[in-house]
Amino acid sequence: MKNFVVGSDHGGLDAKAAVIALLEQRGATVMDAGTHGPESVDYPDFAVKVAGMVSRGEAEQGVLVCGTGIGMSMVANKFPGVRAALVTDQFMARMAREHNNANVLVLGGRVVDVPTAEKLVTAWLNATFEGGRHQGRLDKISALERELRLV
Ligand code: RB5
């Protein structure tokens, strides 16, 4: 199993490359789910790859980047067990782990520059899930997935 799977559309290519380099520097095994060139592509195709792998347990965590991060989040959060968080600042990135235990981080390549994208990923990686009352809330999300017959 890969530690991370990372994907983007054409709006997130530079950030994707930087995130993969950062994760590898930290010793993680990373799968690059594409896209691999600047041609216009459809973000759902890449969100499906990344969120699908996380949902099926083929990767521990994922990172997705599109122009705004909005489309990628919409798709990723349809997958059972995926908690995808679109973050734009370091506080949100830290909270995405501490409170939401996000297993997919979503960035907007046209919203944040590459150094900021690296800081956001680092803040998420360095944070620790607090559990306690927050676990109870995540349990409610899991219960909802069962109620909606998503699992
Ligand atoms: C592509 O132009 C753009 O729509 C996409 O990257 C993303 O921002 C969608 O949410």
Side-chain angles (χ1 to χ4, degrees):
M1 177 167 71
K2 295 281 181 191
N3 297 128
F4 290 89
V5 55
V6 182
S8 77
D9 71 358
H10 51 287
L13 262 186
D14 293 346
K16 174 166 70 69
V19 168
I20 291 172
L22 183 154
L23 292 171
E24 287 179 343
Q25 271 164 25
R26 293 174 67 114
T29 58
V30 186
M31 181 184 150
D32 183 348
T35 186
H36 299 292
E39 302 78 25
S40 179
V41 290
D42 298 332
Y43 61 81
D45 299 338
F46 300 91
V48 162
K49 285 188 193 176
V50 169
M53 282 186 71
V54 173
S55 183
R56 293 188 298 273
E58 295 164 12
E60 289 168 18
Q61 303 182 84
V63 179
L64 281 165
V65 194
C66 64
T68 59
I70 295 171
M72 291 294 199
S73 321
M74 288 178 170
V75 179
N77 278 312
K78 294 198 180 295
F79 282 75
V82 168
R83 294 178 301 277
L86 170 58
V87 302
T88 57
D89 64 33
Q90 290 186 66
F91 174 73
M92 292 176 76
R94 183 164 61 83
M95 285 298 119
R97 173 72 72 201
E98 290 183 358
H99 287 193
N100 310 106
N101 204 14
N103 49 13
V104 175
L105 196 75
V106 188
L107 306 172
R110 296 174 183 153
V111 178
V112 297
D113 59 17
V114 167
T116 305
E118 292 168 338
K119 285 187 188 123
L120 298 180
V121 172
T122 301
W124 175 59
L125 294 175
N126 287 348
T128 305
F129 178 50
E130 287 177 0
R133 68 185 189 282
H134 303 296
Q135 182 58 56
R137 292 160 186 167
L138 298 191
D139 291 343
K140 289 194 175 189
I141 298 177
S142 302
L144 183 63
E145 288 178 343
R146 290 192 294 274
E147 211 177 297
L148 296 173
R149 303 274 192 272
L150 297 175
V151 285

